[in-house]
Amino acid sequence: AREVPSRPQRERRRAATRAGRWLIGLTVVVAAVAVTAGFALFDSPEPGPAAPRLAWFYRPPSDGTPPARIASRHAELILTGRSDIDYKSRLQAAGWRGDVWLYVEQPFTSAPLDGPCGTFWNRTDLWDNQVAWNHREGVAGSNDFCRFVDRHEDWMLHWPDGQRVTRDYGDQLQYVMNPGAAKWREFFAGRVEWALERWNYDAVFLDDVWSDTEPRGTFREYPTDKAYQQAVIGFIEHLRKRLPGVRIIGNAERPEGYSRVLDGWMYEAFAGHWSNELQPADEIVELWELAERDADDGKDIFLVAQGERADEERIAFTYAAYLMVAHPNVSFRYTHSDSYSEFWDSPQLRLPLGGPTGDRRAVGEDVWRREFESGTAVVNLSDDAAEIDLGRDYQTHAGEPVRVLQ
């Protein structure tokens, strides 16, 4: 069968001159406003609590970070299925008191590489991140895809030539499912309901809530993006009816298309875009506006910036962009898609700015500023130089005095 690409091909954008910085503790402040940049500065000798709400997902840390640190430094938590039940308990014992979101793939289910009724030889070959999660090690045909899904051709998406849409992923073959199939919707909702109750999760996180079908190929069932999106909206609405009172959010390519049927959303390439590029200024502003509207409506927003661990300028820029919409319902993470199980820390993320005291405001062409209880934040979204007189003296996180950014 033909395969859907494992990652959508994204348009590459120029990023060589987009070095990010936040008035948050950079040692070199002069270069910060010369290009796309961000800063966070403080002025109080006894600053308030740190501003950021940080998010952790999707698995326990693989780098030895203790549960107490994850519990104390984060405000949002997404974990994966029964595999993470023990870790969830350890976090709660270490002080976690918030809800825990259950990670579920929205478009995929999985079968063995040797066919729908083949064999998974190890328990961990089949992941808990999708709803066909059961199998018996070494027993052909024992997996859920074979037992419940394979015979329902209409539950799956197909290429124009009639072949099922699949991709190899780890030790499994993932099938792309039809969000418009009524009985598939019911099967999915029933499995999620069971998992919430048996595994004691609080809410649902749907991954890979697509909008654009073209990068993945043309689906026979949905010749247009609009047709596919409408089917996904119906899928989510059905899930909500089956799970009344349960919050449901999604990792959406275009969150504006699904926001009305979700209780929040994740944007996985905010400010720090894919391929080590930066998100264009107009897209950042559009996301700000959507995040502000939805956060005020009580929705949970996850803004995830992609980058390299040691890139302090990029951390500063993406964190500055986040601070423009910092809110009790908006969380942030700076990471890399290959390193989600690593805890990345930075002095910039620990700067105790306190809470925001007003909204963001423009102080130049694509230059924005926002005041906090114990400091200020500035971000330059453009590629052009800008000089900002802050009006009084501030300090970087390194203790350097600054008044004018240039």
Side-chain angles (χ1 to χ4, degrees), residues 80-306:
T80 304
R82 60 188 166 191
S83 300
D84 292 346
I85 292 174
D86 288 344
Y87 183 69
K88 176 161 61 72
S89 297
R90 292 170 61 199
L91 284 173
Q92 291 166 338
W96 179 262
R97 296 294 180 265
D99 288 345
V100 183
W101 302 84
L102 171 68
Y103 176 106
V104 189
E105 279 282 5
Q106 185 269 319
F108 299 113
T109 52
S110 299
L113 290 173
D114 59 348
C117 292
T119 305
F120 285 115
W121 294 102
N122 300 297
R123 182 184 62 82
T124 56
D125 287 348
L126 179 62
W127 301 342
D128 291 343
N129 64 349
Q130 45 80 50
V131 297
W133 50 62
N134 291 315
H135 76 102
R136 287 183 288 161
E137 295 178 49
V139 179
S142 66
N143 68 85
D144 280 352
F145 189 92
C146 176
R147 296 171 61 217
F148 302 115
V149 180
D150 184 52
R151 62 181 176 267
H152 299 287
E153 200 65 37
D154 64 311
W155 289 15
M156 286 163 268
L157 290 182
H158 301 81
W159 299 117
D161 63 6
Q163 294 186 69
R164 295 175 175 180
V165 181
T166 64
R167 70 174 185 179
D168 288 350
Y169 208 72
D171 294 312
Q172 55 194 350
L173 186 65
Q174 290 188 329
Y175 289 79
V176 183
M177 307 305 290
N178 182 356
K183 291 186 177 180
W184 164 244
R185 290 177 175 179
E186 185 62 20
F187 179 84
F188 184 98
R191 283 295 177 100
V192 172
E193 182 180 28
W194 185 95
L196 290 171
E197 293 175 355
R198 296 294 184 90
W199 299 339
N200 198 27
Y201 283 85
D202 304 292
V204 178
F205 172 85
L206 301 175
D207 199 11
D208 293 316
V209 183
W210 295 340
S211 295
D212 299 331
T213 60
E214 183 178 352
R216 301 166 178 92
T218 301
F219 302 144
R220 183 183 67 185
E221 290 82 357
Y222 302 105
T224 66
D225 289 347
K226 183 177 180 181
Y228 180 80
Q229 291 170 23
Q230 286 302 119
V232 174
I233 288 172
F235 179 95
I236 296 170
E237 288 175 334
H238 180 80
L239 185 62
R240 296 184 69 87
K241 290 177 182 177
R242 281 294 307 272
L243 303 174
V246 175
R247 295 177 67 80
I248 301 171
I249 63 174
N251 181 4
E253 293 175 323
R254 296 184 179 179
E256 68 276 9
Y258 296 114
S259 173
R260 70 175 179 84
V261 294
L262 291 169
D263 296 302
W265 43 267
M266 172 187 285
Y267 192 79
E268 201 175 356
F270 168 73
H273 220 249
W274 306 107
S275 303
N276 204 36
E277 298 167 357
L278 294 182
Q279 192 177 19
D282 58 341
E283 293 184 12
I284 293 175
V285 174
E286 288 175 3
L287 276 174
W288 281 347
E289 292 171 349
L290 183 63
E292 288 166 337
R293 184 199 75 186
D294 284 356
D296 284 343
D297 285 344
K299 297 180 185 287
D300 291 277
I301 312 301
F302 293 63
L303 299 178
V304 183
Q306 301 288 329

Side-chain angles (χ1 to χ4, degrees), residues 15 17-21 31-38 271 278-279 281 284 313 317 379-385:
T17 62
R18 289 177 171 269
R21 297 206 202 156
V33 250
V35 293
T36 315
L278 294 182
Q279 192 177 19
I284 293 175
E313 291 184 346
F317 171 70
V379 64
N380 180 5
L381 301 183
S382 76
D383 289 324
D384 299 323

